[in-house]
Every structure is written in structure tokens, then in C-alpha cells.
């Protein structure tokens, strides 16, 4: 499919046109297909730079959320309507920022996982389920570009063109496999989930951080990361365009004494101005000057079980429980033809195996699974597996 059935609609970039779209979609029928394009790798943060919608009776709309930053009116008009998204958890944060929050949804990617499809990208799903090939050449472009080129708009419109058709076909397939109620529980959990908490100490996720062993070096990573983040936010560019993670780690390992030594490191030499070098060196110097008590601690505070590789030494019985549980979950997932992580999250299995109920019964295991966020369908299927694993290693 190379062209949207109704052609490429104009981009909505003013309040009067937006009001017309809201009225049209409010009077449409059936589910509404929703997608959003971000400028990951180009801009700071994950804001939406284009929102696409399609609904029976309303057609397709392309909305510029930079020109129309408040789409809460559209969100309210679609309240109670089922939203069809592909990989919903990727788009919901940026949609929430502009006032669009679904009360009901259908996630075609997650539906594909539960139904056992080996490839669940939108293009692969549309091709395998509906028999259409979608052009997928513009997914990684800079969607903050204005005006948006026509080929990009065509691509964006096609992303929602067949989404409701895909939803309908997947619903039938899930129903055929006896998994439709499971999928609905998953969709409800996504729709009702609160916004994720901001990451604590996000600098610890710097790529290559495993090479940094000493606390003073960790402090250099932290100072450089925070400096980079402030600059990226002020300039509205992706942090990686300001300074690469590799350069941050290299500076932390080298601990340069001055800008000359810093300039000799990969990532700081060519095209880095004297002023930029001085600000990076100042970050290094701040870390060098910190007292021991203010240096970051190695590793993040652990709120759950230790890494599984340490279980055999720390608690051999727990290690045996985990081995048995993982084998049981793997076998069941294969029987159900779905990924293990969609049957039950590995973290949930680890937590129950590390701290099993004081008295292991079907009810106590089910309660433990529920307390860790497992949905009723997961509890029903996984409880017997964990019950057997916990009993074997008791």
C-alpha cells in the first residue's frame, strides 16, 4: 500500500481546523487508530511532533502538536472510545503530555505477541495478517522538521490507515486461540497504569558504565552526564548530539587533569571548541574535588532480589526454586505459543522464588503473584507452575 485511501490529509496547525477535527472524530463510529511520531535522537525528551488518527466516518487526521499543544479537547471527545495503538507504552507518555489519555485501548503489537506471531513490528504484522506491504522508510527521521515533507506525511498517514483492520483481525485470532480475555486484561492494565516514576540517578544508565569501577570515576560520569543534560535541555537537542556516552566514560576512566589532556581523548578533540572543553573539564574538576562522603556509592540501591548469578552462593534453596520455576514457565510459554515475558515477567518469578510465602499453597502463591502486579489470567496459569517449583525445592 503506497497511498492512503483518501489521499494525504492537510496537517492541522490551527485551533479552527482542530475544532473541526474534534467534531468529526466525536461523531465517528467504532475504534480510533492513534499514532504519534517523536524526534528521538534529534531533540531533547520524547515529545510528540505529529499525531495521526483515523476513525470510521471521520477519515484520517494529521495534527501538529507543536502548533496545537493542547489536545485535551480531542482526548475528551474520544473518551470511552477504544483507541488502537501499536506498542502503546511507547506512545502513551508523549500523548499524555498533550492531553490525550485513553480509557480503553487495543495494542496490536501486544496482541501479536500473545497470539504467537514471531515478528510484531507494524509492517510485519500488517503484511502477515492483512497481506499489505507498508512503506517503512521514515520511522527514524527528524519529525521536528517543519514543514514536514510530503513523503513523511504519506508514511505517517499509512501508519494508521490499516490499524483498525489489523485490530479486528487480531481480535478474531485471539478469540480463536482462547486468549481474547487475557489480551483485554493486559490492555486494561496498560490503560489504567499511572505514569512511570522518573528514574533515580539516570546517569547510572550511561552506556559503558560497567567499565567504571572507582567511586571517583563514577562522580566524573555523574558530573558530565548532568552537565550534558542541562545543555541538551537548553538547546532542545538529543543529549547524544551534545556529548556521546562513550566520551563520558572515556573521560571518567582517564580523569584528565586539564583541557589539553581532555582534548586528547576520543570525543573531545575535533570540532569541540575551547569553551566547550572548559565546561567539560570543569565538570571533571568538580568530581575530582568532591569529598569521599559525597562520592556516589557503587551500584544502585537494590529494592528486590539480588542478581540471579549470586543466588547459588547467597541462598542455594532459592536458586533451586528459581531454576525449577524458570523451566516450568518456559515449558508453559512454549505450549501457549507466546513469549515467556508476556506469560509472566521474569522479575515477578524472581521475587516469588526469592521470598516465597511462609506457607506454600495455591492461594498463597496466587496472592504473591497478584501482589507483584500479575493479572488474573497470569495468576490462574502460572500459580500451578510456581506451586510445583516451590514444593520441589522446599
Amino acid at each position: 500500500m503506497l497511498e492512503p485511501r483518501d489521499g494525504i490529509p492537510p496537517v492541522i496547525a490551527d485551533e479552527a481546523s482542530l475544532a473541526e477535527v474534534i467534531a468529526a472524530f466525536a461523531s465517528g463510529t467504532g475504534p480510533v487508530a492513534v499514532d504519534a511520531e517523536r524526534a528521538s535522537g534529534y531533540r531533547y525528551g520524547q515529545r510528540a511532533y505529529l499525531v495521526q488518527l483515523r476513525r470510521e466516518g471521520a477519515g484520517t487526521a494529521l495534527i501538529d502538536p507543536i502548533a496545537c499543544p493542547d489536545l485535551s479537547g480531542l482526548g475528551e471527545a474520544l473518551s470511552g472510545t477504544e483507541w488502537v495503538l501499536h506498542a502503546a507504552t511507547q506512545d502513551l507518555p508523549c500523548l499524555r503530555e498533550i492531553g490525550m489519555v485513553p480509557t480503553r485501548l487495543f495494542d496490536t503489537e501486544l496482541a501479536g505477541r500473545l497470539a504467537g506471531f514471531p515478528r510484531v513490528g507494524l509492517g510485519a504484522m500488517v503484511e502477515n495478517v492483512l497481506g499489505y506491504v507498508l512503506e517503512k522508510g521514515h520511522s527514524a527521521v527528524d519529525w521536528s522538521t517543519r514543514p514536514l515533507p510530503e513523503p513523511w506525511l504519506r508514511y505517517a498517514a499509512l501508519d494508521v490507515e490499516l490499524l483498525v483492520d489489523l485490530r479486528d483481525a487480531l481480535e478474531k485470532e485471539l478469540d480463536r486461540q482462547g486468549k481474547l480475555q487475557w489480551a483485554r486484561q493486559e490492555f486494561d492494565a496498560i490503560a489504567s497504569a499511572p505514569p512511570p516514576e522518573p528514574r533515580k540517578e539516570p546517569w547510572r544508565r550511561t552506556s559503558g558504565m560497567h567499565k567504571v569501577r572507582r567511586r571517583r570515576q563514577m562522580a566524573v560520569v555523574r558530573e558530565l552526564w548532568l552537565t550534558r543534560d542541562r545543555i541538551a535541555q537548553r538547546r532542545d537537542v538529543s543529549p547524544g548530539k551534545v556529548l556521546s556516552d562513550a566520551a563520558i566514560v572515556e573521560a571518567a576512566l582517564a580523569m584528565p587533569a586539564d583541557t589539553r589532556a581532555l582534548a586528547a581523548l576520543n570525543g573531545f578533540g575535533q570540532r569541540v571548541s575551547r569553551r566547550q572543553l572548559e565546561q567539560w573539564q570543569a565538570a571533571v574538576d568538580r568530581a575530582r574535588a568532591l569529598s569521599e562522603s559525597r562520592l556516589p556509592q557503587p551500584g544502585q540501591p537494590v529494592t528486590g532480589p539480588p542478581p540471579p548469578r549470586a543466588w547459588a552462593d547467597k541462598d542455594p534453596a532459592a536458586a533451586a526454586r528459581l531454576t525449577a520455576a524458570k523451566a516450568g514457565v518456559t515449558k508453559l510459554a512454549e505450549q501457549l505459543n507466546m513469549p515467556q515475558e508476556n506469560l509472566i515477567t521474569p522479575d515477578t518469578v524472581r521475587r516469588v522464588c526469592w521470598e516465597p510465602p511462609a506457607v506454600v499453597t495455591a492461594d498463597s502463591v496466587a496472592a504473591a503473584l497478584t501482589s507483584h502486579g500479575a493479572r488474573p489470567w497470569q495468576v490462574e496459569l502460572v500459580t500451578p507452575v510456581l506451586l510445583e517449583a516451590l514444593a520441589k525445592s522446599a
Side-chain angles (χ1 to χ4, degrees):
M1 178 170 278
L2 299 176
E3 287 285 339
R5 282 171 279 198
D6 308 324
I8 304 171
V11 177
I12 304 302
D14 62 80
E15 293 302 320
S17 302
L18 178 60
E20 292 177 9
V21 165
I22 291 173
F25 275 80
S27 61
T29 58
V32 58
V34 182
D35 190 23
E37 305 296 346
R38 299 177 299 280
S40 304
Y42 297 94
R43 296 289 183 174
Y44 185 85
Q46 293 295 314
R47 70 187 297 185
Y49 284 92
L50 188 70
V51 175
Q52 308 101 279
L53 304 99
R54 182 174 179 84
R55 192 180 192 191
E56 187 70 33
T60 297
L62 303 178
I63 302 174
D64 179 354
I66 306 305
C68 302
D70 181 7
L71 298 186
S72 56
L74 179 58
E76 289 165 11
L78 296 172
S79 179
T81 299
E82 181 187 86
W83 296 22
V84 185
L85 300 104
H86 193 80
T89 54
Q90 292 182 21
D91 286 339
L92 288 178
C94 70
L95 291 169
R96 186 180 283 114
E97 281 184 5
I98 52 179
M100 294 186 65
V101 183
T103 52
R104 294 169 52 216
L105 64 82
F106 189 107
D107 185 332
T108 49
E109 187 210 44
L110 181 51
R113 290 179 183 277
L114 295 174
F117 285 88
R119 295 165 61 223
V120 293
L122 180 59
M125 292 290 290
V126 167
E127 186 172 351
N128 290 339
V129 177
L130 301 178
Y132 288 99
V133 177
L134 289 180
E135 183 197 357
K136 297 299 293 179
H138 301 296
S139 59
V141 298
D142 181 3
W143 287 95
S144 68
T145 300
R146 293 295 184 272
L148 286 164
E150 184 175 292
W152 300 11
L153 297 174
R154 180 181 297 108
Y155 158 89
L158 286 171
D159 261 5
V160 291
E161 181 80 14
L162 297 169
L163 211 47
V164 173
D165 295 339
L166 180 61
R167 172 235 178 271
D168 293 345
L170 287 171
E171 183 179 57
K172 288 177 183 173
E173 179 60 21
L174 287 167
D175 193 31
R176 186 187 71 78
Q177 294 185 24
K179 299 175 179 176
L180 184 56
Q181 290 306 317
W182 305 353
R184 285 179 174 153
Q185 288 179 30
E186 291 300 295
F187 302 155
D188 288 346
I190 294 171
S192 61
E197 293 283 329
R199 289 192 187 279
K200 291 181 179 177
E201 300 188 313
W203 59 269
R204 290 185 183 271
R205 295 179 65 83
T206 303
S207 297
M209 190 69 192
H210 62 281
K211 302 174 189 173
V212 182
R213 304 296 177 124
R214 289 158 44 198
R215 291 173 64 202
R216 183 77 55 189
Q217 293 172 332
M218 290 180 187
V220 173
V221 173
R222 180 175 64 187
E223 289 297 329
L224 285 171
W225 192 98
L226 292 171
T227 300
R228 178 183 71 173
D229 196 62
R230 286 192 294 269
I231 295 167
Q233 189 168 11
R234 186 177 72 241
R235 288 167 47 187
D236 190 19
V237 295
S238 168
K241 288 190 174 297
V242 176
L243 187 68
S244 70
D245 279 11
I248 289 177
V249 170
E250 182 141 347
L253 296 175
M255 298 281 287
D258 52 37
T259 55
R260 188 172 178 178
L262 182 65
L265 302 177
N266 287 334
F268 292 96
Q270 299 171 339
R271 294 182 298 170
V272 177
S273 69
R274 177 77 188 178
R275 182 173 166 275
Q276 288 173 317
L277 278 174
E278 287 173 352
Q279 73 184 1
W280 299 130
Q281 185 62 43
V284 174
D285 292 342
R286 285 194 297 276
R288 293 169 74 101
L290 287 174
S291 64
E292 285 287 326
S293 63
R294 296 180 63 196
L295 294 177
Q297 294 298 321
Q300 292 175 281
V302 177
T303 55
R309 63 180 177 274
W311 286 30
D313 292 331
K314 288 178 179 287
D315 189 338
R321 290 193 292 268
L322 183 61
T323 298
K326 286 166 73 173
V329 168
T330 299
K331 182 179 178 182
L332 179 57
E334 288 172 355
Q335 291 171 353
L336 295 171
N337 190 27
M338 71 170 66
Q340 296 171 41
E341 63 270 20
N342 292 114
L343 172 59
I344 191 73
T345 67
D347 181 66
T348 297
V349 175
R350 285 194 293 269
R351 287 175 185 270
V352 174
C353 289
W354 184 252
E355 289 189 64
V359 179
V360 176
T361 65
D363 286 345
S364 67
V365 172
L369 287 169
T370 302
S371 73
H372 293 304
R375 265 68 73 189
W377 74 273
Q378 295 174 313
V379 172
E380 182 181 345
L381 290 168
V382 175
T383 291
V385 173
L386 290 191
L387 189 61
E388 183 179 352
L390 297 177
K392 271 183 184 176
S393 55

